[in-house]
Amino acid sequence: MTKILFLDQSGKPGGAELCLLDIAKPYRDTCLVSLFVDGPFRQLLEKQQIPVQILATKAIGVRKESGLLQGLSSIRELLPAINRIANLSRNYDLIYANTQKSLVIGAIASFLSRRPLVYHLHDILSLDHFSATNRRIAVTLANRAALVIANSQASQAAFIAAGGRKDIVECVYNGFNLELYQHLPAATAIKQQLGIEEDKFVVGNFSRLSPWKGQHILLEALTHCPEKAIALLIGDALFGEQDYVQKLHAQVAELNLEHRVKFLGFRNDVTSLMATCDMVTHTSTIAEPFGRVIVEAMLCGTPIVATSAGGAQELVESGKTGLLVAPGDVKELAAAINTCIAQPEQSAKMAQAANVQARQRFDGAIINQQIAQLLSKVIKK
Ligand code: UDP
């Protein structure tokens, strides 16, 4: 079994971390996940018996969206961490950087220890998401990797457009454990637990609370939908977006939506909650690199409306497996919700088609085999 040293800068379970959890599982006997800060992600790894170690370096900002340059400008402070990773990596076949700041450390450590570098790109390296400088640094370092795994064709294309090497990048979608979706709980029980009346039409939004994730668009859309439509916001501000959370609460009060919106915070029972929802909305206002929540909704058999940009366009075929609406367009989103309310049979049919497709395209067992094959090529190089 390949010996892998995984690196991730975050202690919090965002999409990239949850993806890593599934990738690392088959390597639990031979790998180590090194996190730059401690947090609930460590517990999730430990629960799966995946060895984890906290690098605990103050020099690397905890916030995902803080500058890469900031990371690099303190390179002298990073040296102990780089040395530690370089030394550690000598016991492994390869270094697998799962986030941008871990790429900074991983790339230099890989140079020192002569261990091949793999970079899992979970971002769209466009100017919507990154400054030109950060993008240049990320691409320059990623180009030193033996392999870049892009989480969608959109991420792959943006990488190449930003100067990334075509010959090292492969698109591999996130994989999901299909067993988790086999026995879903009855909607009624969970609705009761949450104090939601049976006749409500529950719209779920599962995402960290962050301006570009567009929860404010859903709140406004709700004002164009019948009273029976209510929204559950599942997720929290993971990377310091507290201002936005306050704004969302203020918006709920301003629009008189207190009785129609529930903030549930970060939850570990997303699958059960999604299965309870009458539909799931994905509301990102700029291109989503992949959009795990979209696939999860499909696997739960819950109708999905997503915004037509980035990876989401590769996941949803509008009118067949869900609906796509223009990013940031309140009226279109409201119209899509109203369509699902008015045409339940039609939307159930789409959800069923989405479920069949998602089981084929995003089976974690198959995706893990694809990754294993790519990694074995890296080692043989
Ligand atoms: N998620 C979760 N609990 C929450 C909200 C979200 O476990 O309360 C999960 C969600 O199920 C998905 C991931 O967080 O697997 C978010 O991934 P996505 O690709 O949608 O967005 P990202 O966070 O990577 O931008």
Side-chain angles (χ1 to χ4, degrees):
M1 187 53 98
T2 311
K3 294 195 276 177
I4 308 177
L5 177 59
F6 291 102
L7 305 181
D8 193 295
Q9 77 212 32
S10 175
K12 296 183 183 172
E17 288 68 35
L18 294 171
C19 171
L20 177 65
L21 200 61
D22 285 327
I23 291 174
K25 230 180 279 173
Y27 301 96
R28 53 161 74 106
D29 294 331
T30 53
C31 79
L32 176 67
V33 180
S34 185
L35 300 183
F36 296 178
V37 281
D38 202 356
F41 180 41
R42 173 175 58 82
Q43 284 139 25
L44 289 180
L45 287 159
E46 284 171 351
K47 228 170 138 185
Q48 302 288 344
Q49 285 106 42
I50 299 168
V52 54
Q53 188 195 64
I54 309 299
L55 193 62
T57 163
K58 271 199 229 139
I60 304 165
V62 187
R63 286 186 54 179
K64 233 181 187 170
E65 274 112 24
S66 64
L68 259 187
L69 194 62
Q70 185 187 313
L72 280 179
S73 65
S74 53
I75 204 103
R76 203 143 26 112
E77 290 166 64
L78 290 186
L79 276 178
I82 292 169
N83 276 329
R84 250 179 92 185
I85 294 297
N87 287 336
L88 255 180
S89 68
R90 294 194 172 93
N91 302 320
Y92 294 87
D93 298 320
L94 59 90
I95 300 175
Y96 192 115
N98 195 51
T99 53
Q100 287 210 9
K101 283 180 196 155
S102 73
L103 171 67
V104 175
I105 292 205
I108 307 173
S110 138
F111 175 76
L112 294 173
S113 67
R114 304 265 154 227
R115 287 293 179 274
L117 173 71
V118 173
Y119 175 42
H120 201 141
L121 174 65
H122 296 278
D123 298 302
I124 290 194
L125 293 174
S126 70
L127 293 175
D128 277 342
H129 286 273
F130 296 95
S131 72
T133 313
N134 280 353
R135 194 170 69 154
R136 203 168 328 114
I137 296 168
V139 170
T140 307
L141 292 173
N143 277 345
R144 299 194 58 88
L147 168 69
V148 174
I149 298 175
N151 66 349
S152 64
Q153 288 167 32
S155 299
Q156 179 175 20
F159 175 69
I160 294 168
R165 280 171 54 193
K166 251 192 204 156
D167 59 315
I168 54 169
V169 60
E170 296 278 348
C171 169
V172 182
Y173 291 131
N174 281 207
F176 295 79
N177 179 358
L178 300 188
E179 278 173 29
L180 293 180
Y181 299 89
Q182 253 154 22
H183 305 288
L184 297 168
T188 1
I190 296 187
K191 273 189 174 169
Q192 257 175 16
Q193 272 173 28
L194 295 172
I196 298 170
E197 293 150 41
E198 194 50 38
D199 64 333
K200 296 292 184 211
F201 184 88
V202 183
V203 181
N205 195 287
F206 297 75
S207 170
R208 59 196 158 92
L209 303 179
S210 178
W212 76 273
K213 291 290 190 178
Q215 283 88 357
H216 59 287
I217 305 289
L218 171 59
L219 294 182
E220 213 182 319
L222 219 51
T223 64
H224 302 280
C225 300
E227 277 282 312
K228 74 170 193 169
I230 65 159
L232 298 182
L233 299 189
I234 295 101
D236 210 342
L238 286 190
F239 305 112
E241 303 95 337
Q242 281 310 327
D243 285 359
Y244 183 62
V245 179
Q246 277 167 17
K247 272 193 198 153
L248 288 177
H249 284 280
Q251 191 187 1
V252 167
E254 203 177 298
L255 298 174
N256 289 321
L257 289 172
E258 287 97 338
H259 58 300
R260 293 174 64 194
V261 177
K262 277 184 194 291
F263 289 83
L264 299 189
F266 186 89
R267 302 278 297 228
N268 284 319
D269 55 348
V270 162
T271 311
S272 310
L273 289 168
M274 265 189 188
T276 302
C277 292
D278 295 296
M279 73 182 289
V280 168
T281 55
H282 161 269
T283 47
S284 294
T285 57
I286 50 175
E288 182 74 55
F290 177 74
R292 290 175 61 82
V293 288
I294 299 169
V295 178
E296 289 163 350
M298 290 172 157
L299 291 172
C300 287
T302 306
I304 175 80
V305 175
T307 54
S308 56
Q313 289 173 300
E314 297 161 46
L315 309 180
V316 177
E317 223 180 316
S318 198
K320 289 198 173 144
T321 55
L323 294 173
L324 288 175
V325 296
D329 193 321
V330 171
K331 291 261 168 71
E332 265 197 44
L333 177 61
I337 297 172
N338 288 334
T339 302
C340 287
I341 297 175
Q343 300 169 9
E345 276 166 26
Q346 181 62 18
S347 74
K349 227 165 122 186
M350 283 198 285
Q352 175 56 25
N355 187 268
V356 172
Q357 216 185 72
R359 285 177 174 275
Q360 287 164 0
R361 293 179 76 200
F362 308 106
D363 179 346
I366 294 173
I367 304 270
N368 275 344
Q369 276 171 21
Q370 279 175 21
I371 292 182
Q373 273 168 14
L374 289 171
L375 297 184
S376 71
K377 276 194 214 155
V378 165
I379 295 166
K380 279 185 201 138
K381 259 187 194 171

